[in-house]
Amino acid sequence: MDERNISQAVIRRLPRYYRYLGELLAHDIERISSSDLSKKMRVTASQIRQDLNNFGGFGQQGYGYNVKHLHAEIGKILGLNVAHNYVIIGAGKLGQALANYASFERSGFLLKGIFDVNPELEGVEIRGVKVQMMSKLLDFINNNEIELAVLTIPKERAAEVAELLADTKLKGIWNFAHTDLHLPERIIVENVHLSESLMQLSYKVARRYEDETGESR
Amino acid sequence: MDERNISQAVIRRLPRYYRYLGELLAHDIERISSSDLSKKMRVTASQIRQDLNNFGGFGQQGYGYNVKHLHAEIGKILGLNVAHNYVIIGAGKLGQALANYASFERSGFLLKGIFDVNPELEGVEIRGVKVQMMSKLLDFINNNEIELAVLTIPKERAAEVAELLADTKLKGIWNFAHTDLHLPERIIVENVHLSESLMQLSYKVARRYEDETGESR
């Protein structure tokens, strides 16, 4: 299977397929036709066939998709067939919320450590993982095969933490700090800039208002 | 100014321009050339000129962009020139984290209410806003000109809450519940499915591993 030429748009849609297929699996459904999947996911059956054909021959005419097989194959493409150890840097409300997401663990993301600068948080347990001080971070990453770090710190501190992380063997950073990080190319950064998503919503609401009233506000 | 034909890709980039221009403003910088902005934002100057030309005539050859004007115009396009009242539904860790984001308020998003089903949270204050019980939600939305709702509830409860909200005058929902909501077309839904973003990161890490080793894991 060569998925090198799959478009970014398809890749962005894969987690949604993965989610729906996971729900079917949880309901012991073994096969589904593209038209039934289409009704559930509210996308066209032809889009589904086109997307899934990228991975070659999962579907059989008149027989439907093998849910378990397709779920596993998409999981493999998304890198979910192996476990990923990760740490959370920043044990504030957002860091704690993410630490509590049991669904990450089910997808193979294993929380190994939580770090903060606030001494009052030292030793506090979140889902069985104790908050440690930042001075322990580098050794911990290097000695525990940590692959990913989740950054839930204020943007003011993000640059200095990024500089620290640049010297580790981390493979990726999931960045919630609302600033752009500058890291060596071997460390992949995926940004979740929440206020940008909120602005997309307000853009769409503003546009809808214009469409309805013919005037801007 | 007619921004109707601006591509979705440009719209998605606008919040980032808005953020950089806001930082320049905060440093009292009045003008910036596309090449200086290019260095800061690490995108090409020609991309910047192309993007910003969509809004017509903000830049002047050899003179640069008027930071304040451009910031205000992009803000208008994003609907940030008017205040948006919003409520948070779900006062767990994630809901509390979002309630604490002061930067939303600076962009004109005003937190008016927080709601939960857990009676232990009733009356708890988060940034001066008291948690109320869900039974008060509909009246509150209808009587307080609430435009947006942020959904930070478990996916198992999302469908029933969406059904409640379908009867309100809400204009938009910022949905963190990891499921697809079905709402009347007049209510715009912007999804933030965090685990899908995490899977994009793990996809990129897996792909990088393949590129480096020539094998999949």
Side-chain angles (χ1 to χ4, degrees), chain B residues 114-157:
Chain B
I114 308 177
F115 294 84
D116 205 288
V117 288
N118 181 355
E120 284 179 23
L121 291 172
E122 187 167 12
V124 168
E125 262 192 40
I126 304 167
R127 267 170 68 82
V129 177
K130 282 198 177 127
V131 177
Q132 302 180 61
M133 293 295 94
M134 283 294 283
S135 54
K136 308 249 175 87
L137 178 66
L138 285 195
D139 280 349
F140 190 89
I141 288 176
N142 289 327
N143 297 333
N144 291 278
E145 297 186 4
I146 303 302
E147 207 172 87
L148 308 175
V150 182
L151 238 57
T152 51
I153 55 177
K155 69 174 177 178
E156 292 74 18
R157 307 213 54 228

Short mmCIF file of all heavy atoms in Angstrom, two decimals, chain B residues 114-157:
data_model
loop_
_atom_site.label_atom_id
_atom_site.label_comp_id
_atom_site.label_asym_id
_atom_site.label_seq_id
_atom_site.Cartn_x
_atom_site.Cartn_y
_atom_site.Cartn_z
N ILE B 114 -22.25 30.28 32.28
CA ILE B 114 -21.66 28.94 32.23
C ILE B 114 -22.70 27.98 32.80
O ILE B 114 -23.32 28.27 33.82
CB ILE B 114 -20.37 28.85 33.08
CG1 ILE B 114 -19.41 29.98 32.68
CG2 ILE B 114 -19.70 27.50 32.91
CD1 ILE B 114 -18.15 30.01 33.53
N PHE B 115 -22.88 26.86 32.13
CA PHE B 115 -23.94 25.93 32.52
C PHE B 115 -23.39 24.52 32.66
O PHE B 115 -22.46 24.12 31.97
CB PHE B 115 -25.06 25.96 31.46
CG PHE B 115 -25.76 27.27 31.42
CD1 PHE B 115 -25.24 28.34 30.69
CD2 PHE B 115 -26.91 27.48 32.18
CE1 PHE B 115 -25.87 29.58 30.69
CE2 PHE B 115 -27.53 28.72 32.18
CZ PHE B 115 -27.01 29.77 31.43
N ASP B 116 -23.99 23.78 33.60
CA ASP B 116 -23.57 22.39 33.81
C ASP B 116 -24.74 21.62 34.42
O ASP B 116 -25.71 22.22 34.91
CB ASP B 116 -22.34 22.35 34.74
CG ASP B 116 -21.51 21.09 34.53
OD1 ASP B 116 -21.97 20.00 34.93
OD2 ASP B 116 -20.44 21.18 33.92
N VAL B 117 -24.63 20.29 34.38
CA VAL B 117 -25.66 19.46 35.02
C VAL B 117 -25.28 19.09 36.45
O VAL B 117 -26.11 18.61 37.21
CB VAL B 117 -25.90 18.12 34.26
CG1 VAL B 117 -26.62 18.39 32.94
CG2 VAL B 117 -24.58 17.39 34.02
N ASN B 118 -24.02 19.32 36.82
CA ASN B 118 -23.53 18.87 38.12
C ASN B 118 -23.91 19.88 39.21
O ASN B 118 -23.38 21.00 39.25
CB ASN B 118 -22.01 18.71 38.05
CG ASN B 118 -21.42 18.24 39.35
OD1 ASN B 118 -22.11 18.11 40.37
ND2 ASN B 118 -20.12 17.98 39.33
N PRO B 119 -24.81 19.50 40.14
CA PRO B 119 -25.28 20.45 41.17
C PRO B 119 -24.14 20.94 42.06
O PRO B 119 -24.24 22.03 42.63
CB PRO B 119 -26.31 19.65 41.97
CG PRO B 119 -26.29 18.25 41.47
CD PRO B 119 -25.44 18.17 40.24
N GLU B 120 -23.05 20.16 42.16
CA GLU B 120 -21.93 20.61 43.00
C GLU B 120 -21.24 21.85 42.42
O GLU B 120 -20.55 22.57 43.14
CB GLU B 120 -20.89 19.49 43.12
CG GLU B 120 -21.32 18.40 44.09
CD GLU B 120 -20.30 17.27 44.19
OE1 GLU B 120 -19.12 17.52 43.88
OE2 GLU B 120 -20.71 16.16 44.55
N LEU B 121 -21.42 22.06 41.13
CA LEU B 121 -20.78 23.22 40.50
C LEU B 121 -21.67 24.47 40.55
O LEU B 121 -21.21 25.57 40.26
CB LEU B 121 -20.42 22.90 39.04
CG LEU B 121 -19.29 21.89 38.83
CD1 LEU B 121 -19.16 21.51 37.36
CD2 LEU B 121 -17.96 22.46 39.34
N GLU B 122 -22.93 24.30 40.93
CA GLU B 122 -23.85 25.44 40.92
C GLU B 122 -23.32 26.58 41.78
O GLU B 122 -22.96 26.36 42.94
CB GLU B 122 -25.25 25.03 41.39
CG GLU B 122 -26.26 26.17 41.23
CD GLU B 122 -27.72 25.74 41.39
OE1 GLU B 122 -27.97 24.61 41.87
OE2 GLU B 122 -28.60 26.54 41.03
N GLY B 123 -23.25 27.77 41.19
CA GLY B 123 -22.82 28.93 41.94
C GLY B 123 -21.31 29.16 41.98
O GLY B 123 -20.84 30.22 42.36
N VAL B 124 -20.55 28.15 41.57
CA VAL B 124 -19.09 28.32 41.52
C VAL B 124 -18.76 29.44 40.52
O VAL B 124 -19.35 29.51 39.45
CB VAL B 124 -18.40 27.01 41.08
CG1 VAL B 124 -16.92 27.24 40.75
CG2 VAL B 124 -18.55 25.95 42.17
N GLU B 125 -17.86 30.34 40.91
CA GLU B 125 -17.56 31.48 40.03
C GLU B 125 -16.29 31.26 39.22
O GLU B 125 -15.25 30.87 39.77
CB GLU B 125 -17.37 32.75 40.87
CG GLU B 125 -18.61 33.59 40.90
CD GLU B 125 -18.38 34.98 41.47
OE1 GLU B 125 -17.33 35.59 41.17
OE2 GLU B 125 -19.26 35.45 42.20
N ILE B 126 -16.38 31.48 37.93
CA ILE B 126 -15.21 31.40 37.07
C ILE B 126 -15.08 32.74 36.35
O ILE B 126 -15.99 33.13 35.60
CB ILE B 126 -15.35 30.24 36.06
CG1 ILE B 126 -15.61 28.92 36.80
CG2 ILE B 126 -14.11 30.13 35.18
CD1 ILE B 126 -16.08 27.80 35.92
N ARG B 127 -14.00 33.43 36.62
CA ARG B 127 -13.84 34.79 36.08
C ARG B 127 -15.08 35.64 36.31
O ARG B 127 -15.53 36.36 35.40
CB ARG B 127 -13.50 34.74 34.60
CG ARG B 127 -11.99 34.75 34.34
CD ARG B 127 -11.66 34.45 32.91
NE ARG B 127 -12.07 35.52 32.01
CZ ARG B 127 -11.37 36.61 31.78
NH1 ARG B 127 -10.22 36.80 32.38
NH2 ARG B 127 -11.81 37.52 30.95
N GLY B 128 -15.64 35.54 37.49
CA GLY B 128 -16.76 36.39 37.85
C GLY B 128 -18.11 35.94 37.31
O GLY B 128 -19.13 36.60 37.53
N VAL B 129 -18.14 34.81 36.61
CA VAL B 129 -19.40 34.29 36.07
C VAL B 129 -19.78 33.03 36.84
O VAL B 129 -18.96 32.11 36.98
CB VAL B 129 -19.27 33.98 34.56
CG1 VAL B 129 -20.55 33.39 34.01
CG2 VAL B 129 -18.88 35.25 33.80
N LYS B 130 -21.00 33.01 37.35
CA LYS B 130 -21.43 31.87 38.17
C LYS B 130 -21.97 30.73 37.32
O LYS B 130 -22.74 30.95 36.38
CB LYS B 130 -22.53 32.32 39.14
CG LYS B 130 -21.97 33.06 40.34
CD LYS B 130 -23.00 33.11 41.47
CE LYS B 130 -22.40 33.81 42.69
NZ LYS B 130 -23.22 34.91 43.18
N VAL B 131 -21.60 29.51 37.68
CA VAL B 131 -22.13 28.33 36.99
C VAL B 131 -23.62 28.18 37.35
O VAL B 131 -23.99 28.25 38.52
CB VAL B 131 -21.37 27.05 37.40
CG1 VAL B 131 -21.99 25.82 36.73
CG2 VAL B 131 -19.89 27.17 37.05
N GLN B 132 -24.45 28.01 36.31
CA GLN B 132 -25.88 27.79 36.52
C GLN B 132 -26.26 26.38 36.06
O GLN B 132 -25.53 25.74 35.32
CB GLN B 132 -26.69 28.80 35.69
CG GLN B 132 -26.40 30.25 36.02
CD GLN B 132 -27.23 31.20 35.16
OE1 GLN B 132 -28.45 31.19 35.21
NE2 GLN B 132 -26.56 32.00 34.35
N MET B 133 -27.41 25.94 36.50
CA MET B 133 -27.88 24.62 36.10
C MET B 133 -28.49 24.67 34.69
O MET B 133 -29.00 25.67 34.25
CB MET B 133 -28.92 24.09 37.10
CG MET B 133 -28.34 23.78 38.48
SD MET B 133 -27.10 22.42 38.49
CE MET B 133 -25.54 23.32 38.32
N MET B 134 -28.42 23.54 34.02
CA MET B 134 -28.88 23.47 32.62
C MET B 134 -30.35 23.85 32.45
O MET B 134 -30.74 24.33 31.37
CB MET B 134 -28.67 22.04 32.09
CG MET B 134 -27.23 21.73 31.74
SD MET B 134 -26.63 22.70 30.34
CE MET B 134 -27.43 21.84 28.99
N SER B 135 -31.15 23.67 33.51
CA SER B 135 -32.58 23.99 33.37
C SER B 135 -32.79 25.48 33.08
O SER B 135 -33.83 25.89 32.56
CB SER B 135 -33.32 23.60 34.64
OG SER B 135 -32.68 24.20 35.76
N LYS B 136 -31.79 26.30 33.40
CA LYS B 136 -31.93 27.75 33.16
C LYS B 136 -31.42 28.17 31.79
O LYS B 136 -31.51 29.35 31.41
CB LYS B 136 -31.10 28.52 34.22
CG LYS B 136 -31.38 28.12 35.66
CD LYS B 136 -32.07 29.24 36.40
CE LYS B 136 -32.49 28.85 37.81
NZ LYS B 136 -31.41 29.06 38.81
N LEU B 137 -30.86 27.23 31.04
CA LEU B 137 -30.12 27.58 29.81
C LEU B 137 -30.97 28.29 28.76
O LEU B 137 -30.61 29.36 28.27
CB LEU B 137 -29.49 26.31 29.21
CG LEU B 137 -28.73 26.50 27.90
CD1 LEU B 137 -27.49 27.35 28.12
CD2 LEU B 137 -28.32 25.15 27.29
N LEU B 138 -32.11 27.70 28.42
CA LEU B 138 -32.89 28.26 27.30
C LEU B 138 -33.35 29.68 27.57
O LEU B 138 -33.19 30.57 26.73
CB LEU B 138 -34.09 27.37 26.98
CG LEU B 138 -33.76 26.07 26.26
CD1 LEU B 138 -35.01 25.46 25.67
CD2 LEU B 138 -32.72 26.31 25.17
N ASP B 139 -33.91 29.90 28.76
CA ASP B 139 -34.35 31.26 29.10
C ASP B 139 -33.18 32.22 29.05
O ASP B 139 -33.30 33.35 28.56
CB ASP B 139 -34.96 31.28 30.51
CG ASP B 139 -36.40 30.78 30.49
OD1 ASP B 139 -36.95 30.63 29.38
OD2 ASP B 139 -36.96 30.52 31.58
N PHE B 140 -32.05 31.78 29.58
CA PHE B 140 -30.88 32.66 29.62
C PHE B 140 -30.44 33.06 28.21
O PHE B 140 -30.18 34.23 27.94
CB PHE B 140 -29.72 31.97 30.36
CG PHE B 140 -28.58 32.90 30.67
CD1 PHE B 140 -28.55 33.63 31.84
CD2 PHE B 140 -27.53 33.06 29.75
CE1 PHE B 140 -27.51 34.50 32.12
CE2 PHE B 140 -26.49 33.93 30.02
CZ PHE B 140 -26.48 34.65 31.21
N ILE B 141 -30.36 32.10 27.31
CA ILE B 141 -29.95 32.39 25.93
C ILE B 141 -30.92 33.37 25.29
O ILE B 141 -30.52 34.36 24.67
CB ILE B 141 -29.86 31.09 25.10
CG1 ILE B 141 -28.64 30.27 25.54
CG2 ILE B 141 -29.79 31.40 23.60
CD1 ILE B 141 -28.51 28.92 24.84
N ASN B 142 -32.21 33.13 25.48
CA ASN B 142 -33.20 33.97 24.81
C ASN B 142 -33.32 35.35 25.41
O ASN B 142 -33.69 36.30 24.72
CB ASN B 142 -34.56 33.25 24.79
CG ASN B 142 -34.54 32.06 23.84
OD1 ASN B 142 -33.87 32.08 22.80
ND2 ASN B 142 -35.26 31.00 24.19
N ASN B 143 -32.99 35.51 26.69
CA ASN B 143 -33.17 36.81 27.34
C ASN B 143 -31.91 37.66 27.41
O ASN B 143 -31.95 38.77 27.89
CB ASN B 143 -33.70 36.62 28.77
CG ASN B 143 -35.08 35.97 28.77
OD1 ASN B 143 -35.83 36.12 27.80
ND2 ASN B 143 -35.41 35.24 29.82
N ASN B 144 -30.78 37.11 26.97
CA ASN B 144 -29.53 37.86 27.13
C ASN B 144 -28.75 38.06 25.82
O ASN B 144 -27.55 38.28 25.84
CB ASN B 144 -28.63 37.16 28.17
CG ASN B 144 -29.20 37.26 29.57
OD1 ASN B 144 -29.02 38.27 30.25
ND2 ASN B 144 -29.92 36.23 29.99
N GLU B 145 -29.48 38.00 24.73
CA GLU B 145 -28.86 38.22 23.41
C GLU B 145 -27.58 37.41 23.25
O GLU B 145 -26.54 37.92 22.83
CB GLU B 145 -28.57 39.71 23.19
CG GLU B 145 -29.87 40.51 23.17
CD GLU B 145 -29.67 41.98 22.83
OE1 GLU B 145 -28.52 42.37 22.52
OE2 GLU B 145 -30.67 42.72 22.84
N ILE B 146 -27.68 36.14 23.60
CA ILE B 146 -26.54 35.25 23.44
C ILE B 146 -26.46 34.80 21.98
O ILE B 146 -27.44 34.36 21.39
CB ILE B 146 -26.68 34.01 24.35
CG1 ILE B 146 -26.83 34.43 25.81
CG2 ILE B 146 -25.47 33.08 24.17
CD1 ILE B 146 -25.69 35.26 26.36
N GLU B 147 -25.28 34.95 21.41
CA GLU B 147 -25.10 34.67 19.99
C GLU B 147 -24.42 33.31 19.77
O GLU B 147 -24.71 32.60 18.82
CB GLU B 147 -24.20 35.78 19.43
CG GLU B 147 -24.40 36.05 17.99
CD GLU B 147 -23.61 37.30 17.59
OE1 GLU B 147 -22.43 37.17 17.26
OE2 GLU B 147 -24.20 38.41 17.63
N LEU B 148 -23.47 32.99 20.66
CA LEU B 148 -22.66 31.78 20.48
C LEU B 148 -22.70 30.91 21.73
O LEU B 148 -22.78 31.43 22.84
CB LEU B 148 -21.19 32.16 20.19
CG LEU B 148 -20.93 33.15 19.06
CD1 LEU B 148 -19.43 33.49 19.01
CD2 LEU B 148 -21.37 32.59 17.72
N ALA B 149 -22.62 29.60 21.51
CA ALA B 149 -22.48 28.68 22.63
C ALA B 149 -21.26 27.80 22.39
O ALA B 149 -21.01 27.35 21.28
CB ALA B 149 -23.72 27.80 22.79
N VAL B 150 -20.49 27.62 23.47
CA VAL B 150 -19.32 26.75 23.41
C VAL B 150 -19.71 25.44 24.08
O VAL B 150 -20.15 25.44 25.23
CB VAL B 150 -18.13 27.38 24.16
CG1 VAL B 150 -16.90 26.49 24.06
CG2 VAL B 150 -17.84 28.77 23.60
N LEU B 151 -19.58 24.34 23.35
CA LEU B 151 -20.01 23.04 23.88
C LEU B 151 -18.82 22.23 24.36
O LEU B 151 -18.05 21.71 23.56
CB LEU B 151 -20.74 22.27 22.78
CG LEU B 151 -22.17 21.86 23.07
CD1 LEU B 151 -22.99 23.09 23.40
CD2 LEU B 151 -22.76 21.12 21.89
N THR B 152 -18.68 22.14 25.68
CA THR B 152 -17.58 21.35 26.25
C THR B 152 -18.19 20.27 27.15
O THR B 152 -17.92 20.24 28.35
CB THR B 152 -16.62 22.24 27.05
OG1 THR B 152 -17.38 23.02 27.98
CG2 THR B 152 -15.86 23.17 26.14
N ILE B 153 -19.00 19.44 26.54
CA ILE B 153 -19.67 18.36 27.26
C ILE B 153 -19.26 17.04 26.63
O ILE B 153 -18.76 17.01 25.51
CB ILE B 153 -21.21 18.53 27.17
CG1 ILE B 153 -21.64 18.63 25.70
CG2 ILE B 153 -21.65 19.76 27.92
CD1 ILE B 153 -23.14 18.72 25.50
N PRO B 154 -19.46 15.93 27.35
CA PRO B 154 -19.11 14.63 26.76
C PRO B 154 -19.97 14.36 25.53
O PRO B 154 -21.12 14.80 25.46
CB PRO B 154 -19.46 13.62 27.87
CG PRO B 154 -19.58 14.42 29.13
CD PRO B 154 -20.00 15.79 28.71
N LYS B 155 -19.42 13.61 24.58
CA LYS B 155 -20.16 13.39 23.34
C LYS B 155 -21.48 12.67 23.57
O LYS B 155 -22.44 12.86 22.82
CB LYS B 155 -19.29 12.64 22.32
CG LYS B 155 -18.99 11.20 22.67
CD LYS B 155 -18.24 10.50 21.53
CE LYS B 155 -17.89 9.08 21.94
NZ LYS B 155 -17.22 8.33 20.89
N GLU B 156 -21.56 11.90 24.65
CA GLU B 156 -22.79 11.16 24.92
C GLU B 156 -23.97 12.09 25.17
O GLU B 156 -25.13 11.72 24.95
CB GLU B 156 -22.62 10.25 26.16
CG GLU B 156 -21.66 9.08 25.96
CD GLU B 156 -20.19 9.50 25.94
OE1 GLU B 156 -19.88 10.63 26.42
OE2 GLU B 156 -19.36 8.73 25.43
N ARG B 157 -23.71 13.31 25.65
CA ARG B 157 -24.80 14.22 25.96
C ARG B 157 -24.99 15.27 24.87
O ARG B 157 -25.88 16.11 24.93
CB ARG B 157 -24.54 14.93 27.30
CG ARG B 157 -24.27 13.93 28.44
CD ARG B 157 -24.78 14.45 29.75
NE ARG B 157 -26.18 14.81 29.67
CZ ARG B 157 -26.68 15.94 30.12
NH1 ARG B 157 -25.91 16.83 30.68
NH2 ARG B 157 -27.97 16.20 30.00
#
